[in-house]
Amino acid sequence: MADGAEAGVQFVKLDEGRLERYRRAGYRVLGEHNHSAVEVCRWTKSRLRGERNCYKSIYGIDSGRCIQMTPTLDFCNFGCPWCWRPFGPFRHKAHGTDWDDPKTIVDEMLRAQRELLSGFGGNPRTDKAYFRLAMRPAHVAISLDGEPTLYPMIADLIKEINSRGMTTFLVTNGTMPHRLREMLEKGAIPTNLFVSVYATNPEEYVRVTKSVVPDAYERVMESLSLLGEFERRGSRTVIRLTLVKGLNMKDPEGYAGIVNRFRPNFLEFKGYAWLGQSRQRLDQSASPRFEELKKFADEVLRHTAYRPVMLDSVSVIIVAVRDEESWRRNVETAKVISRLPGCPVR
Ligand code: SF4
């Protein structure tokens, strides 16, 4: 696996041509070592045009004030066919030992977001007061591309973001449990911790994710065993199922067993969307219709005590909550974070 395995090996992972393609696609590549990036989320643009928020409004996210970023551009230990993102020839390889520090990444991330949004200042559909608010981001979704826990300083990155008055929504594939442990040790507690679960047994896990880590399932289970501690320390914990017809949309009892064992606050069902580069790898028929997702979610939920709290047919997402206490705490947290003053951009 690539995490540190290439120590001392220097190679150009993203050459100028590839960087230029990212820039043309709307990404801002950050730092000296080109492993971090920002891209304005479609829902951020939607909110700035006065339209709807992403489904994470139930967690208190205001999309217009959200930064979508990654510290691991085109670096992942999985090769999931449903991933929207383009895979370069060195997808599974790190950048030698060269990593930018969290402060540099956060400074540049804030600058990039402000520049990328600047055009909305003259947009007749953008409310001027809301535009000024968007210049003070309040949320950071560490979910743009790659596996963020492969960044060795992920704990410090979360602390750096939190210290600037912004929330952190970390989405991980769960294959780096030692990084999650380090986050606990260092008090780097994300506002929401999402662990994606893609299959219900070890063989299927490696097959569907095309993992380069042979013990992916065992690692994910170890990460899930930390959810209780993250919850005690203040995170809202989420298991996310990204479901692809004909691939991993099966064994509802198996998924329910994992959920019952690790008891996250929330369970999300996300139907695979036939978008971006995934269209080269999968047929459109792999994308479940909302009714199909709903039927599968009902089969999983039947074996749990979770209840649905949000059904979004546009994004093909269903969110279920574990119990009343989780919901009460979520409503309180959402209220607080939706009023955050946000981070002034210097
Ligand atoms: S939370 Fe995710 S989907 Fe919602 S606005 Fe932020 S990046 Fe976009």
Side-chain angles (χ1 to χ4, degrees), residues 122-157:
N123 187 323
R125 292 165 72 188
T126 303
D127 177 83
K128 296 290 171 272
Y130 188 70
F131 175 73
R132 285 194 295 278
L133 212 49
M135 291 289 113
R136 298 173 65 100
H139 314 293
V140 180
I142 308 174
S143 61
L144 171 61
D145 180 45
E147 171 44 43
T149 61
L150 290 170
Y151 173 53
M153 289 173 269
I154 185 69
D156 299 309
L157 180 66

Side-chain angles (χ1 to χ4, degrees), residues 9 16 59 64-65 74 90 92 104 114 117-118 121 126 142 258 272 274 281 297 301 304 309 312 321 323 326 338:
V9 176
E16 198 39 52
Y59 300 124
R65 306 183 69 201
D74 197 18
F90 301 119
H92 304 306
T104 302
R114 184 170 63 167
L117 296 186
S118 59
T126 303
I142 308 174
I258 292 172
Y272 155 65
W274 195 64
R281 308 179 202 113
L301 292 174
T304 76
V309 281
D312 185 337
V321 70
D323 49 30
S326 297
S338 64

Side-chain angles (χ1 to χ4, degrees), residues 215-268:
D215 56 346
Y217 177 83
E218 291 77 7
R219 287 172 176 235
V220 174
M221 294 303 119
E222 195 182 333
S223 289
L224 292 174
S225 73
L226 302 173
L227 290 185
E229 189 54 26
F230 275 100
E231 180 184 339
R232 276 188 287 283
R233 305 279 291 276
S235 289
R236 288 170 296 186
T237 57
V238 186
I239 285 183
R240 175 184 284 175
L241 310 180
T242 299
L243 296 160
V244 186
K245 267 165 62 187
L247 200 61
N248 68 348
M249 200 164 157
K250 58 185 177 187
D251 191 16
E253 278 191 59
Y255 284 118
I258 292 172
V259 170
N260 288 332
R261 181 170 163 206
F262 298 109
R263 305 189 76 248
N265 295 119
F266 290 91
L267 170 61
E268 292 189 358

Side-chain angles (χ1 to χ4, degrees), residues 74-298:
D74 197 18
F75 181 29
C76 192
N77 47 17
F78 283 180
C80 305
W82 56 85
C83 184
W84 305 352
R85 307 297 172 186
F87 295 174
F90 301 119
R91 179 81 174 167
H92 304 306
K93 293 200 182 297
H95 299 245
T97 51
D98 296 329
W99 297 100
D100 291 316
D101 64 274
K103 184 177 178 310
T104 302
I105 294 172
V106 176
D107 283 344
E108 293 204 13
M109 169 190 91
L110 287 161
R111 207 169 15 249
Q113 176 84 348
R114 184 170 63 167
E115 284 170 14
L116 288 166
L117 296 186
S118 59
F120 283 97
N123 187 323
R125 292 165 72 188
T126 303
D127 177 83
K128 296 290 171 272
Y130 188 70
F131 175 73
R132 285 194 295 278
L133 212 49
M135 291 289 113
R136 298 173 65 100
H139 314 293
V140 180
I142 308 174
S143 61
L144 171 61
D145 180 45
E147 171 44 43
T149 61
L150 290 170
Y151 173 53
M153 289 173 269
I154 185 69
D156 299 309
L157 180 66
I158 288 169
K159 287 185 80 168
E160 183 70 30
I161 295 168
N162 288 347
S163 77
R164 312 253 190 139
M166 297 181 287
T167 68
T168 37
F169 280 58
L170 177 68
V171 183
T172 174
N173 67 16
T175 54
M176 303 291 282
H178 66 289
R179 291 273 155 76
L180 297 183
R181 281 189 206 286
E182 191 188 336
M183 283 163 51
L184 286 168
E185 279 158 24
K186 290 189 165 183
I189 307 299
T191 317
N192 273 37
L193 174 61
F194 299 78
V195 180
S196 299
V197 171
Y198 295 127
T200 55
N201 65 68
E203 297 73 32
E204 283 283 286
Y205 224 99
V206 172
R207 186 182 74 81
V208 303
T209 62
K210 303 193 186 308
S211 173
V212 295
V213 189
D215 56 346
Y217 177 83
E218 291 77 7
R219 287 172 176 235
V220 174
M221 294 303 119
E222 195 182 333
S223 289
L224 292 174
S225 73
L226 302 173
L227 290 185
E229 189 54 26
F230 275 100
E231 180 184 339
R232 276 188 287 283
R233 305 279 291 276
S235 289
R236 288 170 296 186
T237 57
V238 186
I239 285 183
R240 175 184 284 175
L241 310 180
T242 299
L243 296 160
V244 186
K245 267 165 62 187
L247 200 61
N248 68 348
M249 200 164 157
K250 58 185 177 187
D251 191 16
E253 278 191 59
Y255 284 118
I258 292 172
V259 170
N260 288 332
R261 181 170 163 206
F262 298 109
R263 305 189 76 248
N265 295 119
F266 290 91
L267 170 61
E268 292 189 358
F269 300 87
K270 165 122 188 63
Y272 155 65
W274 195 64
L275 288 172
Q277 291 293 307
S278 75
R279 288 177 300 182
Q280 317 296 323
R281 308 179 202 113
L282 291 171
D283 192 80
Q284 190 168 8
S285 60
S287 178
R289 292 193 312 276
F290 184 69
E291 305 73 51
E292 294 171 313
L293 182 80
K294 170 93 174 52
K295 189 164 173 279
F296 187 81
D298 286 344

